[in-house]
Amino acid sequence: MQKKFGYISFLIFIGTFILFIFSSLRHFLFKSNALDLALFDQWVYLISQNLPPISSLFGFHVIGDHAAFILYPISLLYKIYPSVYWLLLIQAFALSVGCLPVYLLSLQAGLSIPYSRTITFSYLLYPTLFNSNFFTDFRPESIAVPALLWAIWAAIEKCTYQLFFAIGLVLICKDSLSLTVIAFGIFLLLQHRKVYGLACSLIGLFWYIFTIGYLTPLLRGGPAGGVVFYASLGSTPKEIIFNTISNPNLILGKFFSPNALFYYFLLLLPVIIGLHWKQIVFVIPALPMFLLNIISDYAPQRDLVHHYSLPIFPFIIVWLIHSIKEYKQENKKHWLKPKTLIVSATISFLVLAKYDFFITRYLPNISNLPSLYNAVSLVKTKESVLTTFNIAPHLSNRQNIKLINKDLKLQNGNEIFNYILIDLNNNNFDFNSNLVLQLRSNSTYKLIYQSNGVYLFKLPPI
């Protein structure tokens, strides 16, 4: 037993190490983003300090975002030491620890140890896992990935307490995952797990109504998060659901658009060599998130770069597991050996993983790092900060931090910040290009640092 799981422990360690190093390097190079890393970092910091978890970036309560209650237990780590690197480490570990349920699911399906190890390694090589970690900073739903896999194993194994603990963990990661839980219940009903299936569907339905229908709009002061991506279908979840059902022509064209067809291809390519259509039932729980990605007006929901496919690909891996089992039972595809699967997964990773971003996007401004770190080090208090998009995640451990925008004008009556930190070399958002000139001519602020397009202004003490 120790020998069997030694390999999996090694994969989890290596996976966590690699993912954490890559995301940490991105942050170190000032390429992490205010939205969402600074946003989550500020929320978790405020919770850890027993302060109202209301983001100064968005202006609403942490639960008003996507009902990510998982951030509350994460905040306990910030009580030890508040650092954004906790979020990056948790995400790296969560994605990597999915190796364990994948391996157990493979053994559960009756696959040999070589096949089980191969599929587990293929899971780590799935491009969305790497890309989401490397490109989108931190997302709470990354913690739901191993929980979803764990729930499938527990349901088949009839481990009731483990099943519902895993389902609970999924639900507190993101409100929309309640749809995944509902579909998971339907899947279990089809698998003759009637009690489990009915319970999961009812729990998911309750959580959807409670969070998306009531709690998040209440704490957000408007519709649930993400609704804006479906403006062509309606302005509220109710309108979107009604228009989707009552007028299917609205979305039919989206299913067969070139963009959508390419997305189908991308999702399946990393494991397509081993898939068997008879086992497609295992992707039923992935359908809600898959459909939401297809009908969305926001194109990044249909790629393997962003985080939107995180709740989908675990079920594709489970489909692969049971496809291999099906081929073995049918005594077909004798060439489909572990080495073949590894080669296919590796090629897909090399083609679709965005490790090249490190060179093409993250390294070009490396010469400016000393200036940025010198400026950040001069922000010595937890007082209010106004800064640019790329600097915000390095200063978000405070109650008041905001982003510079093109409409900002330093006039009487505007909010006063203790620090204003500007990087003119990284303005990938709406930016007031005249701000430096305004600040230089404004007697309220004093320029205390300037180097290579990096400016730090401070409000002198009264």
Side-chain angles (χ1 to χ4, degrees):
M1 184 65 70
Q2 187 176 5
K3 185 178 179 181
K4 288 182 181 179
F5 288 96
Y7 174 79
I8 302 305
S9 299
F10 174 75
L11 284 185
I12 293 172
F13 173 79
I14 291 297
T16 301
F17 178 77
I18 292 174
L19 293 177
F20 178 64
I21 289 297
F22 269 86
S23 59
S24 296
L25 278 173
R26 181 175 189 259
H27 179 66
F28 176 80
L29 293 170
F30 280 81
K31 293 300 180 179
S32 54
N33 293 316
L35 308 177
D36 295 311
L37 189 58
L39 181 66
F40 286 117
D41 182 53
Q42 185 190 34
W43 270 327
V44 176
Y45 171 78
L46 293 174
I47 294 170
S48 72
Q49 300 300 307
N50 300 316
L51 295 169
I54 298 174
S55 170
S56 58
L57 295 167
F58 271 6
F60 52 74
H61 194 279
V62 58
I63 302 304
D65 184 35
H66 285 292
F69 288 94
I70 190 67
L71 297 178
Y72 280 86
I74 289 176
S75 71
L76 297 176
L77 295 171
Y78 274 55
K79 289 183 178 293
I80 300 172
Y81 183 78
S83 172
V84 71
Y85 287 101
W86 282 120
L87 299 182
L88 302 181
L89 179 60
I90 288 168
Q91 176 165 270
F93 176 73
L95 293 172
S96 299
V97 83
C99 286
L100 180 57
V102 168
Y103 185 67
L104 292 174
L105 281 162
S106 300
L107 294 177
Q108 187 183 63
L111 299 185
S112 65
I113 289 178
Y115 273 108
S116 299
R117 289 178 172 180
T118 297
I119 293 173
T120 303
F121 191 54
S122 298
Y123 160 84
L124 277 182
L125 289 177
Y126 196 91
T128 289
L129 185 148
F130 178 86
N131 291 345
S132 176
N133 178 79
F134 191 38
F135 183 72
T136 55
D137 296 322
F138 170 80
R139 297 296 307 185
E141 54 264 45
S142 62
I143 301 171
V145 169
L148 289 168
L149 292 163
W150 182 13
I152 299 173
W153 177 85
I156 297 174
E157 208 64 28
K158 297 183 180 179
C159 296
T160 304
Y161 293 120
Q162 293 187 47
L163 168 63
F164 290 108
F165 183 86
I167 290 299
L169 185 57
V170 170
L171 291 174
I172 64 173
C173 289
K174 190 174 184 179
D175 50 10
S176 60
L177 289 176
S178 56
L179 297 173
T180 301
V181 173
I182 293 172
F184 181 62
I186 295 171
F187 163 76
L188 292 178
L189 287 171
L190 295 174
Q191 295 295 304
H192 309 293
R193 299 285 194 273
K194 294 182 180 179
V195 175
Y196 287 167
L198 186 60
C200 287
S201 292
L202 289 176
I203 291 171
L205 180 61
F206 166 78
W207 197 250
Y208 177 87
I209 295 171
F210 175 63
T211 57
I212 295 179
Y214 171 71
L215 189 61
T216 53
L218 175 68
L219 296 176
R220 191 184 185 94
V227 172
V228 65
F229 296 153
Y230 304 90
S232 62
L233 297 173
S235 57
T236 66
K238 288 182 180 178
E239 286 184 11
I240 293 169
I241 293 172
F242 177 78
N243 289 330
T244 300
I245 295 173
S246 63
N247 192 357
N249 290 331
L250 282 174
I251 64 170
L252 194 59
K254 295 186 177 185
F255 279 95
F256 299 100
S257 68
N259 184 263
L261 293 174
F262 188 58
Y263 179 51
Y264 308 152
F265 172 72
L266 289 178
L267 281 173
L268 299 182
L269 180 61
V271 294
I272 196 168
I273 193 173
L275 294 180
H276 196 304
W277 290 103
K278 285 185 179 180
Q279 300 299 326
I280 198 171
V281 66
F282 283 93
V283 299
I284 286 177
L287 290 181
M289 294 300 105
F290 173 74
L291 295 175
L292 285 176
N293 289 349
I294 294 300
I295 67 175
S296 172
D297 302 330
Y298 187 51
Q301 286 190 229
R302 293 177 294 277
D303 62 35
L304 300 190
V305 179
H306 295 77
H307 61 278
Y308 300 102
S309 297
L310 278 177
I312 297 173
F313 92 90
F315 300 103
I316 295 177
I317 297 296
V318 179
W319 180 13
L320 174 66
I321 291 171
H322 287 269
S323 294
I324 300 297
K325 175 185 177 181
E326 184 73 21
Y327 284 125
K328 291 296 179 183
Q329 292 175 342
E330 293 178 348
N331 198 26
K332 293 181 178 179
K333 284 196 174 183
H334 300 289
W335 52 266
L336 193 59
K337 303 293 184 183
K339 288 184 179 180
T340 311
L341 291 170
I342 286 292
V343 170
S344 176
T346 301
I347 292 173
S348 297
F349 179 84
L350 293 174
V351 172
L352 299 176
K354 299 303 179 182
Y355 48 85
D356 60 297
F357 282 3
F358 185 73
I359 297 173
T360 60
R361 298 191 182 193
Y362 303 156
L363 282 181
N365 293 330
I366 194 170
S367 60
N368 206 39
L369 286 182
S371 300
L372 288 167
Y373 275 104
N374 287 336
V376 168
S377 69
L378 293 173
V379 182
K380 296 183 180 297
T381 71
K382 295 294 184 182
E383 295 176 299
S384 59
V385 170
L386 178 69
T387 190
T388 47
F389 203 79
N390 61 313
I391 298 176
H394 294 262
L395 293 170
S396 44
N397 279 183
R398 64 192 66 247
Q399 198 164 12
N400 188 8
I401 181 169
K402 290 191 177 179
L403 300 177
I404 298 167
N405 62 70
K406 64 180 180 181
D407 299 321
L408 179 71
K409 295 179 181 179
L410 297 173
Q411 298 174 339
N412 292 333
N414 275 36
E415 187 175 359
I416 300 297
F417 295 89
N418 295 92
Y419 296 94
I420 300 180
L421 179 50
I422 303 168
D423 178 16
L424 296 180
N425 303 294
N426 197 329
N427 303 325
N428 57 343
F429 64 105
D430 290 339
F431 183 77
N432 181 356
S433 58
N434 296 318
L435 184 59
V436 172
L437 294 176
Q438 292 179 32
L439 287 167
R440 281 183 174 277
S441 61
N442 190 320
S443 59
T444 305
Y445 291 94
K446 179 183 178 181
L447 178 64
I448 63 172
Y449 182 80
Q450 174 186 350
S451 176
N452 297 325
V454 178
Y455 296 83
L456 176 62
F457 295 87
K458 184 178 179 181
L459 185 69
I462 299 175

